[in-house]
Amino acid sequence: MGPYIYGARNGIHIMDLTQTVPLLEQALKAVRDTVAKNGRILFVGTKRQAAVAVAEAAEKCAQYYMNHRWLGGTLTNWQTVSQSIARLKMIDEVMLHGADGLTKKERLNMERDQAKLQASLGGIREMGGRPDMLFVIDVKKEALAILEANKLGIPVVGVVDTNCSPAGVDYVIPGNDDAARAIALYCDLISRAALDGMTAQMGAAGIDLGALEDAPMEEALAETADA
């Protein structure tokens, strides 16, 4: 990361923001363009301080995430992962109907499986296939995810700190991957870019976005009038 470092102060490396800003803009454009073409973004951040921000940002823009731990083969062995997702959905269905006919022990075991599968796969249960792009917090910790993406030619957007290598990252965002506020900021910006891409996609499909925005208000006014 030497070329991206402005200097050091008290033993702490300082990023060169004159490079971070344009590279961040380039990454956001790549995310927007991917979603605009109906692509899927997978947010990856399994470290403690990233878990909540990653999940919230992905959900806000109707994308997908892994924030518990990366399961080896998530991308390269999608068929097996799909079977685990199918099992999670099956368990959810059984539990929804009260787990009729199961013994107390069977129900307890099923609840444990459900919790384990939800933590690992809940964020990708509706993804329906491999993602079209990865957004990664802490490229060192998520090295396996990046390796799998590289093998399959899936572009990677990554926040790369001074103690990490940008190798394997297609869109490098030089930045702090430890501070909770910094992580939340990057996640929010990526989420907004994805939402912009969805807007562009809907516009290209001829959907009247103004009508969609007005509809809830019109319904509310109609309900008020009826009352």
Side-chain angles (χ1 to χ4, degrees), residues 29-46:
K29 183 180 184 301
V31 169
R32 180 190 181 281
D33 291 348
T34 298
V35 176
K37 296 172 184 173
N38 204 30
R40 293 167 293 208
I41 309 295
L42 177 58
F43 287 61
V44 183
T46 62

Side-chain angles (χ1 to χ4, degrees), residues 13-64:
H13 289 103
I14 301 169
M15 290 291 186
D16 181 0
L17 294 182
T18 62
Q19 294 190 68
T20 296
V21 172
L23 287 169
L24 175 59
E25 290 177 349
Q26 184 180 354
L28 295 177
K29 183 180 184 301
V31 169
R32 180 190 181 281
D33 291 348
T34 298
V35 176
K37 296 172 184 173
N38 204 30
R40 293 167 293 208
I41 309 295
L42 177 58
F43 287 61
V44 183
T46 62
K47 64 199 296 181
R48 178 183 51 78
Q49 59 266 53
V52 173
V54 161
E56 289 180 349
E59 289 174 350
K60 188 166 70 174
C61 61
Q63 296 301 318
Y64 312 94

Side-chain angles (χ1 to χ4, degrees), residues 1-204:
M1 286 298 288
Y4 302 102
I5 297 173
Y6 175 77
R9 184 177 299 165
N10 299 325
I12 298 173
H13 289 103
I14 301 169
M15 290 291 186
D16 181 0
L17 294 182
T18 62
Q19 294 190 68
T20 296
V21 172
L23 287 169
L24 175 59
E25 290 177 349
Q26 184 180 354
L28 295 177
K29 183 180 184 301
V31 169
R32 180 190 181 281
D33 291 348
T34 298
V35 176
K37 296 172 184 173
N38 204 30
R40 293 167 293 208
I41 309 295
L42 177 58
F43 287 61
V44 183
T46 62
K47 64 199 296 181
R48 178 183 51 78
Q49 59 266 53
V52 173
V54 161
E56 289 180 349
E59 289 174 350
K60 188 166 70 174
C61 61
Q63 296 301 318
Y64 312 94
Y65 65 90
M66 291 197 79
N67 68 341
H68 181 61
R69 72 182 181 89
W70 182 265
L71 300 176
T74 295
L75 301 180
T76 53
N77 194 11
W78 177 255
Q79 187 174 0
T80 299
V81 173
S82 296
Q83 292 171 359
S84 296
I85 292 173
R87 173 162 170 73
L88 173 59
K89 291 181 177 180
M90 181 274 291
I91 293 175
D92 285 346
E93 188 70 20
V94 171
M95 300 305 288
L96 184 65
H97 293 90
D100 295 336
L102 294 181
T103 65
K104 188 175 181 179
K105 183 178 181 180
E106 288 172 336
R107 177 175 180 138
L108 182 61
N109 287 335
M110 189 166 282
E111 286 175 345
R112 286 173 177 166
D113 284 349
Q114 183 184 37
K116 185 178 178 181
L117 288 168
Q118 178 62 31
S120 299
L121 303 171
I124 62 170
R125 59 176 290 159
E126 303 299 336
M127 193 160 65
R130 294 189 184 97
D132 299 281
M133 177 174 280
L134 259 62
F135 166 63
V136 177
I137 296 287
D138 194 336
V139 299
K140 181 185 286 186
K141 184 172 179 58
E142 314 302 345
L144 182 56
I146 293 172
L147 185 62
E148 291 189 28
N150 291 163
K151 282 183 179 179
L152 296 170
I154 298 173
V156 176
V157 174
V159 177
V160 189
D161 213 331
T162 55
N163 63 337
C164 300
S165 168
V169 181
D170 300 275
Y171 299 93
V172 175
I173 303 174
N176 187 326
D177 65 11
D178 292 313
R181 287 177 63 186
I183 292 170
L185 173 63
Y186 293 126
C187 287
D188 183 61
L189 289 171
I190 295 294
S191 180
R192 289 172 184 267
L195 284 170
D196 285 346
M198 290 175 66
T199 300
Q201 178 195 350
M202 294 169 76

